[in-house]
Amino acid sequence: MWEKATNTSKMSLKLICFFLCTLIASNLTGEKALLTAPQNISILSTNMKHFLTWSPVIIQGETVRYSVEFQGEYERVYANQSWIPISECSLITATVCNITEDISATVAYNLRVRAALGARRSEWGTLKGFFNRNTTSLTPPVMKVIADGYHLLVELEEMGPAFQFCVLYWKKGQERRMQQKLVKEVSSVVHLDTMEAGAEYCVKAQSYVEAINRSSSFSQTQCVRAQGDTSMWLVTALISSAGFAVAALTLPFLTWKTSKIFQYSCCPVAVLPDTLKVSEPSSQLILCGSEGAEQCDLMVVVMPSEEVLRLWLQETL
């Protein structure tokens, strides 16, 4: 009887010890067990901007903080699988981390995040699979097409130093004569072409990232019409053509007339009057004596032409 009572007491003591140990363990570890690792870890990557996101760890009345680390190909292969903390995402309260600056190479990256509450830490929650920046989603650039007089201009969105832009433009109805321009830097509006008056021109563009050798789709086509009236342009063209025709016809005459003026100015030609022209190589002068002389002697004098011209000039002056 006594032995049976003793065994019952021992059994009761063991049960009491078990419940006490369970209660103490629950008090010591209960709070820590509530701090679970972050879940639903994923990457949002658009236009070479990368963000790590996760679901919040909720503890009523407490502010949970998070820390993020990454592991690139070098750390995984050559640095004993070490992890590098992201300083901008250390003990933050947000559930998103901008990892763009840390994803600096086109290789596979692994990422992980854990929760912290005071001195307590959760287990690491790790991204499922690897992330490579060449999987980023590329969107077409936002653009504005401008007709400034007869100048075709385009204004492109600034998307970052990694981006270049391929711009296609053409005169509407002449798509087969489409032209292309590569814009490497966007500082202001870009001049594409000089337009015909009254004509309509169309433009579309796509973004390109050389680091990952990928392009976006093309933007929606935008068209603008050149300022000015087509009829006025035709009138101007006709007037210009008429001017060229008149100039082509009058230029030979003006050239001939100018050459004649220079010829007469530099090398004039003296023309003798008919009274001084002689058919014989000599001239006859009749010299008479006094008024009462009945006879005159006939004298033949031979004078050079130069002398005759000099005498004529003296008589004229």
Side-chain angles (χ1 to χ4, degrees), residues 7 45 92 109 131 142 145 151 221 243 288 300:
N7 292 334
S45 179
I92 60 175
Y109 284 85
F131 170 72
V142 177
V145 182
H151 299 287
T221 301
C288 297
V300 177

Side-chain angles (χ1 to χ4, degrees), residues 186-248:
V186 178
S187 55
S188 59
V189 293
V190 179
H191 182 271
L192 297 177
D193 202 357
T194 300
M195 301 184 289
E196 297 178 6
E200 191 172 2
Y201 287 77
C202 299
V203 181
K204 64 180 180 179
Q206 69 176 172
S207 58
Y208 171 72
V209 180
E210 186 176 9
I212 61 176
N213 193 27
R214 284 186 54 217
S215 301
S216 72
S217 59
F218 276 97
S219 63
Q220 292 291 326
T221 301
Q222 297 183 29
C223 299
V224 293
R225 187 177 297 276
Q227 299 175 7
D229 188 1
T230 306
S231 60
M232 289 299 297
W233 181 81
L234 292 175
V235 171
T236 304
L238 290 174
I239 294 175
S240 300
S241 300
F244 281 117
V246 172

